[in-house]
Amino acid sequence: MDPRLSEQKALLEEYRQALRARSACRCHFDFCDPDYLDAAVFALGAAERRIGALIKTAKKAQVSAWKRL
């Protein structure tokens, strides 16, 4: 298998995991006790920055989730 293809698949899987983590953080934020609000905000912000970093990395590597025509 092409090493570049393997790297792209790994990056896409990491992106999917980051989306799931952000979803969990958003749910925690929506339903957390007010005493834990600061922690929920911090976790949600970190999850969103991780997604942004992964998108930037994918753009640099020219990774696409869709097949190119």
Side-chain angles (χ1 to χ4, degrees):
M1 186 193 293
D2 182 11
R4 186 168 181 255
L5 183 60
S6 178
E7 181 181 321
Q8 289 178 353
K9 284 184 179 185
L11 187 59
L12 287 171
E13 180 56 34
E14 188 174 353
Y15 178 73
R16 288 183 192 104
Q17 289 175 358
L19 289 176
R20 287 190 295 271
R22 181 183 64 180
S23 179
C25 288
R26 186 172 290 151
C27 185
H28 178 68
F29 173 80
D30 289 342
F31 298 104
C32 73
D33 186 272
D35 292 337
Y36 294 98
L37 187 59
D38 288 342
V41 168
F42 179 78
L44 182 57
E48 289 178 348
R49 284 189 297 279
R50 179 178 176 214
I51 289 170
L54 287 168
I55 290 171
K56 187 176 179 180
T57 301
K59 283 181 180 180
K60 282 183 182 177
Q62 297 179 338
V63 174
S64 175
W66 295 273
K67 292 183 179 184
R68 295 187 183 142
L69 300 174

